[in-house]
Amino acid sequence: MSHQLNHSLENFLGRYGWDYVKKNEQRLVTGWQGENRSYPLHIEVNDTWISFKVQPFLKLDIDWDSWPEIAMHLMELNDGTSMVKLSIDSDGRIILNLDIFVDDLSFERFSNVLGVIGHYADSLYDDLLTVLDNVCLLYTSPSPETRHDLV
């Protein structure tokens, strides 16, 4: 990550009032406390993109027999969203992601991104829990005190 971009992101987080942990030159970890749970936010930068990832959005105890049904529901939820996407990794972590180009990053654009990802985190969370309850999967949400420690 360029020094200027890194400095800008750190400055924006400070202006937004959020603490963060700098994991390396390409990754900052922060997050926020919602009404019912915490949301760990990873900000990852490469030459083209800045990725904002609520990771994990949820952690599943994977039941590989239910995998097709989970994938179908994630695709249906993705179809109803703009700008964000839900995915699942091989460890059973559901991730909420929003990518933007690195060009012309401003505090207004940064604030808009946090607003969009925060909106969808709140609105998709209950829908996702309902889906998981219907397929009888166990899940966990990150606790507020561990949001910066998540990898």
Side-chain angles (χ1 to χ4, degrees):
M1 161 175 12
S2 78
H3 178 70
Q4 179 62 29
L5 184 56
N6 185 25
H7 179 72
S8 295
L9 287 170
E10 291 178 21
N11 181 28
F12 295 161
L13 285 167
R15 286 178 60 188
Y16 215 77
W18 286 8
D19 294 328
Y20 63 91
V21 173
K22 186 175 182 176
K23 292 292 188 174
N24 59 44
E25 287 301 313
Q26 290 80 33
R27 187 172 178 204
L28 301 171
V29 180
T30 186
W32 73 97
Q33 179 63 42
E35 189 173 313
N36 298 314
R37 62 153 293 179
S38 65
Y39 296 96
L41 181 66
H42 296 246
I43 303 172
E44 299 174 2
V45 178
N46 66 37
D47 292 337
T48 308
W49 303 102
I50 303 173
S51 292
F52 295 82
K53 297 179 180 185
V54 178
Q55 180 179 353
F57 188 53
L58 277 174
K59 173 78 170 103
L60 304 179
D61 291 332
I62 294 180
D63 171 6
W64 293 106
D65 292 334
S66 299
W67 181 264
E69 194 167 350
I70 298 293
M72 180 188 72
H73 287 297
L74 289 177
M75 287 190 292
E76 288 173 354
L77 289 171
N78 279 337
D79 184 51
T81 64
S82 298
M83 298 179 66
V84 299
K85 66 180 177 188
L86 289 164
S87 60
I88 188 167
D89 67 13
S90 61
D91 294 325
R93 292 181 299 190
I94 294 179
I95 300 161
L96 179 65
N97 188 65
L98 191 155
D99 295 326
I100 62 172
F101 287 112
V102 297
D103 298 338
D104 302 320
L105 182 64
S106 66
F107 182 71
E108 180 181 4
R109 190 169 170 210
F110 177 82
S111 297
N112 289 339
V113 166
L114 295 184
V116 168
I117 205 163
H119 164 75
Y120 280 115
D122 285 336
S123 68
L124 292 174
Y125 186 70
D126 288 336
D127 291 341
L128 193 52
L129 292 183
T130 300
V131 166
L132 297 174
D133 287 340
N134 288 339
V135 295
C136 301
L137 272 180
L138 299 176
Y139 50 83
T140 56
S141 297
S143 63
E145 53 276 352
T146 60
R147 74 171 185 215
H148 294 302
D149 298 328
L150 296 170
V151 177

